[in-house]
Amino acid sequence: MIKGEFLQLAQEYGMKQDQGVAYGIVDGYAATFTDGAGTHRMMLTTRFASNTDKDALMEIINRADLKGLYNIRKLQIAKKVVYVAFAVAPDTMEKIRSFIEWFFPLLKQFGASKGDICVQCQEPMEDKDAQWILRDGATAFRVHKPCADELKLTIMTQTKSSRADQNGSIGMGILGALAGAGVGIALWL
């Protein structure tokens, strides 16, 4: 759940709030802000023109003193998301602002798509065609309507599959407990 100074920063950027996260466009990029476990987390939904560009950006990131300069605990770049976790400290908001000033121009330099490009299909979109889809309760994706429908279906399928796995595990656990009890009784007698 986003709160305090991080919520104020999100409000400065005009971000919307839903389900404990803030999401919106930050300096042209689709962003999600949330808090958790002693961190302020920023997720940027974007894609790179090539793996070469992404790797070159990672090289710069790996050389930077992210912890010292920006209080960053973790920075990862996945297929559609840049994930940044900032350690909460008295100066973190100042460090987050400095990070945005340093990092967002690098995103542009290395061809990361902005919020006006659908992160799903890579096609340009206008504000009237864009929708925000919250995935895993933590990351908002800005996509076209058809891509939103596809993403919702994927999320529902993954959720159902996860629940089925959990139910199967519970059922197998009960069977295992009963079998173990039966063996224990047989050995006792």
Side-chain angles (χ1 to χ4, degrees):
M1 169 153 252
I2 187 167
K3 55 189 179 263
E5 290 180 314
F6 204 38
L7 176 59
Q8 289 174 347
L9 181 63
Q11 290 168 340
E12 287 175 29
Y13 281 111
M15 299 173 87
K16 298 175 184 166
Q17 295 173 54
D18 189 21
Q19 300 178 33
V21 303
Y23 59 91
I25 302 296
V26 175
D27 290 353
Y29 292 92
T32 309
F33 291 0
T34 188
D35 285 320
T39 61
H40 296 306
R41 294 175 290 189
M42 174 190 301
M43 284 72 65
L44 306 170
T45 51
T46 186
R47 282 186 155 178
F48 289 85
S50 72
N51 281 334
T52 305
D53 290 332
K54 183 172 83 169
D55 293 343
L57 175 59
M58 280 306 299
E59 230 176 269
I60 290 172
I61 289 168
N62 290 333
R63 287 194 311 251
D65 177 17
L66 298 179
K67 186 175 183 180
L69 292 170
Y70 308 113
N71 287 355
I72 292 178
R73 278 192 188 165
K74 183 176 187 179
L75 190 150
Q76 278 183 302
I77 299 179
K79 185 176 179 182
K80 297 179 189 176
V81 179
V82 175
Y83 171 85
V84 187
F86 301 89
V88 175
D91 62 346
T92 300
M93 285 306 109
E94 178 185 319
K95 302 242 179 170
I96 291 173
R97 292 175 198 279
S98 295
F99 174 77
I100 290 171
E101 288 175 15
W102 173 75
F103 189 65
F104 283 43
L106 289 174
L107 290 173
K108 181 178 180 181
Q109 178 183 338
F110 289 99
S113 62
K114 288 195 165 194
D116 60 350
I117 303 294
C118 176
V119 74
Q120 193 75 4
C121 71
Q122 294 289 297
E123 294 296 320
M125 61 184 170
E126 295 183 26
D127 284 343
K128 65 181 176 66
D129 300 325
Q131 288 190 357
W132 289 94
I133 302 296
L134 190 60
R135 185 173 185 173
D136 301 329
T139 307
F141 288 81
R142 192 166 191 256
V143 295
H144 286 111
K145 168 90 172 97
C147 292
D149 294 340
E150 179 184 320
L151 194 55
K152 285 178 191 174
L153 182 62
T154 300
I155 292 167
M156 284 179 11
T157 303
Q158 288 173 347
T159 301
K160 286 180 183 176
S161 175
S162 175
R163 286 186 185 145
D165 289 348
Q166 287 175 351
N167 289 341
S169 296
I170 291 169
M172 292 304 289
I174 291 170
L175 282 174
L178 290 173
V183 168
I185 290 171
L187 289 174
W188 185 264
L189 297 174

